[in-house]
């Protein structure tokens, strides 16, 4: 009951209601709080002038104001208006409940009377006082009765009292001064809870108090709850209890109000009857609201489960993201090691080439230096003959050595620079572009639809089914598939595929039991079936069978078996499938034509099984118009005489005249079609081999009018 506590608190003071009164806008307010938020308007201004001028518009635009007069009979003597002069300059404040209220008006100086008012009486209400509802901000002008003109909400007062009593955890002694002890007894006469010390001190069992009845505290609480409440009295006549209810004014009234004639032109009903009626209406509304609350609770459970799933999915997704980034880092480290290996190989190769060249040049330079030193020493010798003996050889060696230091020998075989350049630009760009791909998660298949039983029905041989998605389902639905069996417990077959949530299936068998089910589908697949609904088509009955049936080949034994399945058809003409030149009247039972050419109209019920008979009367027959009567497929031609194509079967010449009655007998058990005119069979069986779905049909032109019989039709006696 803790959720109800806000309903029991005043919107002004924020405390539990004390002496609540009902404003015309149906909101409640404490009587004391109502006096505190009264606003006094200037004497020179009236609500009518404010409404006419429109200059004094308050903080709120009252778009839904009462359009009645300020002092009309229906609004109990007080009215509403859109604004007043003091409203714009009156600052607004917020109550503990968060709604804006007007502060109390500055009271005028009290009149100097030599007698003080009675302490329990209300102070007089200033003239031209108005009150603004703190919840809907509707302004009201008070009449001469002031706040006494508002009815007291005794029901709310009782609910607050019961709520406060039930909220008390333990009953405490009411006479303990400091820390109240737990009560042990309650005196029914004193209506006071006592602890043992206070009972001995304040309620001794002697003298007049000895006759008082002491009961346990729990029993005393129950007796308090069961004590009679104050009954609501009339606001006009405070000594009169409400006894009747005015339907126009929507308020209880007393007998004196009725005698004064204030509600003489209104509908007045007994208070008890209206009390039961409104209780029933409130119970029905509460049932609907209870269903919504149940759906809301289920939705909250779904949201709480969603919070848990979000947390679990968040942890899982974060771990997946870290793993993916770590995998990228590992791949980058592996590639880094590969690139460093290539750099090291290049480094070693360059060092080896340079070192080999250094060693080779060093040896060559040492040989060249030795040769140069030797040649210098030979030049120092003074023996010409000896010098000439070796000079040619030395000259050749010097030239040869010099040639060995030729082009390329003194050029480095390897450069010191590394020719490798790492192309990291595309990779850095890819890293910067690394982001989440918002991929649409495939939606689940739809849930099983719910059949709306209150909208499912059968009429004749047609069945209408309605369904809806579960209230908490947010899965996208692309369409529905409706399936019916064959009426004999056979396999289901699809009869409708589409987006609509209601479907009417025509052409079913009479007196048959069909099972139906529906399922939803979307791009992800097909959902589960709904619950199976069993529907019964209209029952058939046996009209009196006549000798024409015997002359058509029915034996008495066959007639006995035929009677339970022969049905008199009930249908009307179908304007939706008829030719536009056909004119209908008499609730689509009478048809004529405004064209001289033949035009076809079908019935709105098709037959595929059983035996069916219907009659039509010829109301007008001028200049031999040649009407045709029979049956047709649903796609028969509508602008030629019935029977001229291969989708219609009809009688075109049977001695028809004005006032004639034409009967059509369709036997789908034997596949025959025969006709009667004025209770006489027209020849033998007209057509045989009739199979499939057939609709009653006629063709007319301008000179003929026919009416379909819907009740009392029987296969006539000869």
């Amino acid at each position: 009951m803790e959720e109800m506590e806000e309903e029991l608190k005043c919107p002004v003071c924020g405390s539990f209601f004390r002496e609540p009164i009902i404003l015309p806008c149906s909101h409640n307010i404490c009587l004391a709080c109502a006096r505190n938020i009264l606003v006094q308007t200037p004497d020179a201004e009236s609500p009518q002038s404010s409404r006419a001028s429109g200059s004094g518009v308050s903080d709120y635009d009252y778009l839904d104001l009462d359009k009645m007069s300020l002092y009309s009979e229906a609004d109990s003597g007080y009215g509403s208006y859109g604004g007043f002069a003091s409203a714009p300059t009156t600052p607004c404040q917020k109550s503990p409940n968060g709604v804006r209220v007007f502060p109390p008006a500055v009271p005028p100086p009290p009149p100097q009377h030599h007698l003080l008012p009675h302490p329990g009486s209300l102070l007089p209400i200033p003239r031209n006082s108005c009150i603004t509802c703190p919840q809907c901000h509707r302004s009201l002008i008070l009449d001469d009765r002031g706040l006494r003109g508002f009815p007291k909400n005794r029901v709310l007062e009782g609910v607050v009292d019961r709520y406060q009593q039930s909220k008390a955890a333990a009953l405490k002694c009411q006479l303990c001064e400091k820390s109240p002890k737990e009560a042990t007894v309650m005196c029914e006469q004193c209506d006071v809870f006592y602890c043992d010390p206070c009972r001995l001190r304040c309620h001794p069992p002697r003298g007049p108090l000895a006759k008082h009845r002491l009961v346990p505290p729990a029993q005393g609480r129950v007796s308090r709850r069961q004590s009679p409440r104050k009954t609501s009295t009339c606001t006009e006549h405070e000594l009169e209890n409400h006894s009747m209810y005015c339907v126009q004014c929507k308020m209880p009234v007393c007998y004196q109000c009725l005698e004064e004639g204030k509600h003489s032109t209104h509908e007045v009903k007994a208070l008890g009857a209206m009390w039961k009626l409104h209780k029933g209406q409130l119970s029905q509304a509460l049932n609907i609201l209870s269903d919504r609350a149940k759906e809301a609770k289920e939705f909250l459970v779904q949201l709480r489960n969603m919070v848990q799933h979000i947390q679990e999915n968040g942890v899982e997704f974060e771990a997946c993201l870290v793993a993916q980034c770590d995998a990228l880092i590992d791949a980058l480290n592996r590639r880094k090691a590969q690139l460093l290996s290539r750099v090291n190989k290049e480094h070693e190769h360059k060092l080896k080439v340079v070192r080999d060249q250094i060693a080779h040049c060093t040896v060559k330079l040492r040989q060249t230096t030795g040769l140069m030193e030797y040649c210098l020493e030979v030049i120092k010798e003074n023996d010409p003959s000896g010098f000439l003996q070796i000079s040619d050889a030395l000259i050749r060696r010097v030239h040869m050595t010099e040639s060995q230091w030729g082009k390329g020998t003194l050029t480095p075989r390897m450069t010191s620079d590394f020719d490798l350049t790492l192309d990291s630009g595309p990779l850095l760009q890819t890293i910067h572009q690394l982001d989440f791909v918002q991929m649409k998660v495939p939606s689940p298949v739809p849930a099983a639809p719910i059949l709306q039983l209150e909208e499912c029905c059968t009429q004749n041989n047609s069945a209408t089914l309605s369904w809806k998605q579960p209230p908490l389902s947010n899965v996208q639905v692309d369409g529905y598939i409706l399936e019916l069996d064959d009426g004999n417990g056979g396999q289901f077959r699809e009869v409708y595929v589409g987006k609509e949530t209601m479907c009417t299936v025509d052409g079913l068998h009479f007196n048959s039991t069909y099972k139906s089910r529906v399922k939803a589908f979307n791009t992800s697949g097909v959902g589960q079936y709904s619950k199976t609904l069993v529907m019964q088509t209209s029952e058939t009955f046996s009209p009196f069978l006549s000798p024409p049936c015997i002359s058509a080949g029915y034996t008495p034994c066959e007639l006995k078996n035929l009677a339970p399945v022969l049905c008199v058809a009930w249908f009307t003409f179908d304007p939706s499938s008829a030719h536009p030149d056909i004119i209908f009247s008499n609730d689509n039972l009478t048809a004529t034509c405004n064209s001289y050419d033949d035009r076809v109209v079908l019935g709105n019920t098709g037959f595929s099984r059983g035996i069916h008979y219907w009659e039509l009367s010829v109301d007008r027959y001028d200049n031999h118009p040649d009407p045709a009567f029979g049956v047709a497929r649903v796609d028969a031609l509508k602008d030629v005489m019935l029977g001229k194509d291969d989708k219609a079967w009809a009688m075109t010449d049977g001695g028809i005249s004005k006032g004639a009655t034409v009967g059509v007998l369709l036997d789908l058990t034997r596949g025959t079609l025969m006709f009667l005119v004025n209770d006489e069979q027209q020849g033998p069986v007209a057509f045989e081999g009739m199979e499939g779905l057939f609709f009653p049909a006629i063709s007319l032109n301008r000179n003929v009018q026919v009416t379909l019989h819907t009740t009392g039709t029987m296969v006539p006696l000869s």
Side-chain angles (χ1 to χ4, degrees):
M1 295 178 64
E2 295 180 356
E3 292 85 356
M4 186 180 64
E5 186 168 322
E6 292 301 323
E7 294 285 338
L8 307 180
K9 290 185 178 180
C10 175
V12 177
C13 62
S15 303
F16 287 106
F17 282 106
R18 296 183 299 274
E19 297 184 277
I21 59 174
I22 307 175
L23 299 179
C25 55
S26 301
H27 293 129
N28 300 280
I29 190 174
C30 297
L31 180 61
C33 297
R35 294 187 59 85
N36 289 337
I37 65 173
L38 286 177
V39 176
Q40 184 177 6
T41 60
D43 295 340
E45 184 180 4
S46 65
Q48 290 88 341
S49 62
S50 297
R51 182 180 295 182
S53 62
S55 59
V57 180
S58 65
D59 294 339
Y60 313 98
D61 294 331
Y62 304 113
L63 301 180
D64 297 325
L65 299 178
D66 190 2
K67 303 304 181 182
M68 296 183 292
S69 63
L70 292 177
Y71 300 96
S72 66
E73 180 181 338
D75 59 10
S76 301
Y78 41 81
S80 64
Y81 62 98
F84 41 84
S86 62
T89 59
T90 303
C92 293
Q93 60 185 8
K94 281 194 174 182
S95 72
N97 281 359
V99 299
R100 290 191 287 182
V101 300
F102 290 100
V106 179
Q112 301 296 329
H113 296 294
H114 64 282
L115 292 177
L116 294 176
H118 191 273
S121 62
L122 294 173
L123 294 176
I125 301 298
R127 187 171 177 265
N128 287 339
S129 297
C130 79
I131 186 173
T132 299
C133 175
Q135 290 183 282
C136 65
H137 312 296
R138 180 176 177 178
S139 299
L140 304 161
I141 289 291
L142 274 62
D143 58 5
D144 295 337
R145 295 174 297 167
L147 296 177
R148 290 183 290 107
F150 297 104
K152 296 181 180 179
N153 196 338
R154 299 293 187 188
V155 175
L156 178 58
E157 192 174 2
V159 173
V160 171
D161 189 16
R162 291 197 302 270
Y163 179 79
Q164 289 179 324
Q165 289 182 13
S166 64
K167 198 174 181 182
L171 296 174
K172 302 294 184 180
C173 176
Q174 295 176 292
L175 297 181
C176 292
E177 295 182 354
K178 293 185 179 180
S179 57
K181 299 180 180 179
E182 186 173 351
T184 57
V185 294
M186 179 226 178
C187 178
E188 288 187 341
Q189 285 72 24
C190 300
D191 195 18
V192 176
F193 289 94
Y194 298 95
C195 63
D196 288 336
C198 292
R199 178 179 59 83
L200 296 175
R201 184 177 67 254
C202 303
H203 200 286
R206 61 179 179 271
L209 299 179
K211 299 181 180 180
H212 288 195
R213 183 169 179 264
L214 301 179
V215 296
Q219 184 178 349
R221 171 189 283 182
V222 173
S223 63
R224 274 190 172 184
R225 292 183 184 177
Q226 294 178 350
S227 60
R229 298 291 177 187
K230 297 179 181 179
T231 58
S232 300
T233 58
C234 180
T235 57
E236 298 281 347
H237 314 93
E238 297 182 354
L239 300 180
E240 295 289 338
N241 293 334
H242 293 136
S243 57
M244 303 296 288
Y245 183 84
C246 179
V247 178
Q248 275 76 9
C249 300
K250 296 183 179 179
M251 60 180 295
V253 295
C254 65
Y255 278 111
Q256 193 168 347
C257 291
L258 299 178
E259 291 177 357
E260 293 176 357
K262 294 184 177 180
H263 305 271
S264 59
T265 60
H266 296 176
E267 182 182 1
V268 179
K269 294 186 178 181
L271 190 65
M274 294 302 296
W275 174 57
K276 293 181 180 179
L277 176 62
H278 283 208
K279 269 196 171 183
Q281 293 176 352
L282 181 59
S283 299
Q284 293 178 358
L286 283 177
N287 290 335
I288 299 175
L289 186 60
S290 176
D291 295 339
R292 297 295 179 267
K294 183 179 178 181
E295 293 177 0
K297 289 181 180 179
E298 295 176 355
F299 182 65
L300 286 176
V301 172
Q302 181 181 358
L303 291 180
R304 293 190 180 99
N305 294 336
M306 188 179 296
V307 170
Q308 183 178 358
H309 293 332
I310 290 175
Q311 293 176 346
E312 295 175 355
N313 294 339
V315 173
E316 181 181 354
F317 188 78
E318 182 178 352
C320 181
L321 176 63
V322 171
Q324 287 179 321
C325 292
D326 291 343
L328 293 177
I329 294 174
D330 292 341
L332 186 61
N333 287 331
R334 289 194 298 271
R335 188 58 178 169
K336 172 185 175 182
Q338 294 174 359
L339 295 177
L340 287 176
S341 176
R342 288 182 57 185
V343 171
N344 290 333
K345 289 181 180 180
E346 184 69 15
H347 175 259
E348 294 297 333
H349 175 67
K350 285 180 175 292
L351 290 178
K352 183 178 180 302
V353 171
V354 172
R355 286 171 182 170
D356 290 344
Q357 190 175 9
I358 291 174
H360 177 72
C361 289
T362 301
V363 173
K364 192 71 174 174
L365 181 60
R366 185 182 302 112
Q367 292 176 353
T368 302
T369 303
L371 179 60
M372 291 173 59
E373 291 177 354
Y374 173 69
C375 289
L376 291 175
E377 291 298 327
V378 170
I379 292 174
K380 291 180 181 178
E381 290 293 331
N382 294 322
D383 183 4
S385 60
F387 177 79
L388 292 174
Q389 287 178 350
I390 61 174
S391 61
D392 290 335
L394 289 176
I395 292 173
R396 287 194 300 272
R397 286 184 60 190
V398 169
H399 287 297
M400 186 181 297
T401 303
E402 188 274 333
S403 64
Q404 291 178 354
W405 293 101
K407 184 178 180 180
T409 305
L410 300 179
T411 302
R413 298 177 183 175
M414 189 66 65
T415 61
S416 60
D417 297 330
F418 285 83
D419 296 332
L420 301 176
T421 302
L422 182 62
D423 187 10
S424 61
L427 180 59
L428 289 175
Q429 185 178 2
T430 303
I431 293 176
H432 291 154
Q433 294 176 351
L434 185 64
D435 200 353
F436 300 104
V437 179
Q438 299 292 338
M439 297 187 65
K440 185 177 180 181
V441 180
S443 60
V445 296
I450 298 176
L451 290 171
Q452 302 190 87
L453 302 181
E454 64 277 4
E455 298 183 10
C456 298
C457 62
T458 59
Q459 182 178 8
N460 293 330
N461 62 340
S462 299
T464 299
L465 297 100
S466 178
W467 58 88
K468 65 178 181 180
Q469 278 295 104
L472 297 179
S473 176
N474 54 3
V475 180
Q476 180 182 357
V477 176
D478 295 337
Y480 300 92
I481 301 174
L482 176 63
E483 296 182 357
L484 266 72
D485 66 353
D486 59 356
N488 288 323
Q491 295 182 351
F492 283 89
R493 67 186 191 279
E494 294 183 1
V495 297
Y496 171 76
V497 178
K499 296 183 178 181
E500 300 296 332
T501 58
M502 178 177 288
C503 178
T504 299
V505 183
D506 298 320
L508 302 177
H509 302 310
F510 281 93
N511 195 23
S512 299
T513 301
Y514 286 90
K515 295 180 181 179
S516 59
R517 62 187 184 184
V518 65
K519 59 184 177 181
F521 64 88
N522 59 12
T523 55
S524 299
V526 181
Q528 296 181 350
Y529 285 104
S530 66
K531 294 182 179 180
T532 302
L533 177 64
V534 180
M535 306 184 73
Q536 175 74 32
T537 55
S538 299
E539 295 184 359
T540 61
F541 57 93
S542 304
F544 188 82
L545 296 177
S546 66
C549 296
I550 300 177
S551 64
Y554 297 102
T555 65
C557 182
E558 288 176 329
L559 291 177
K560 183 178 179 181
N561 298 327
L562 179 66
V565 297
L566 178 63
C567 67
V568 173
W570 188 96
F571 59 89
T572 61
F573 293 122
D574 185 12
S576 62
S577 63
H579 193 278
D581 292 338
I582 298 293
I583 301 174
F584 299 95
S585 60
N586 190 21
D587 294 332
N588 297 331
L589 295 176
T590 301
T592 184
C593 182
N594 61 3
S595 174
Y596 288 104
D597 297 325
D598 293 304
R599 300 294 186 243
V600 174
V601 55
L602 305 181
N604 61 359
T605 301
F607 309 118
S608 58
R609 189 175 64 177
I611 305 173
H612 310 275
Y613 177 76
W614 61 94
E615 289 182 348
L616 305 99
S617 60
V618 180
D619 302 330
R620 183 164 58 90
Y621 191 87
D622 301 331
N623 299 327
H624 304 286
D626 283 337
F629 305 86
V631 296
R633 305 287 189 189
V634 68
D635 55 348
L637 298 177
K638 305 300 191 302
D639 54 358
V640 297
M641 178 180 289
L642 189 67
K644 293 297 183 181
D645 59 354
D646 59 350
K647 297 181 179 180
W649 298 260
M651 177 187 70
T652 58
D653 187 12
I656 299 173
S657 61
K658 181 179 180 181
T661 300
V662 179
V664 182
L665 180 59
L666 176 63
D667 183 1
L668 293 174
T669 61
R670 304 180 63 174
T672 61
L673 177 66
M674 55 185 292
F675 302 95
L676 297 90
V677 177
N678 295 330
D679 299 342
E680 294 184 1
Q681 181 176 338
Q682 300 298 299
V685 174
F687 299 98
E688 295 180 344
M690 307 290 291
E691 294 181 357
L693 179 63
F694 299 93
F695 289 82
I698 61 173
S699 64
L700 307 170
N701 58 23
R702 194 182 191 92
N703 298 322
V704 66
Q705 175 179 304
V706 298
T707 298
L708 177 66
H709 297 181
T710 58
T711 58
T713 303
M714 294 184 181
V715 179
L717 288 170
S718 297

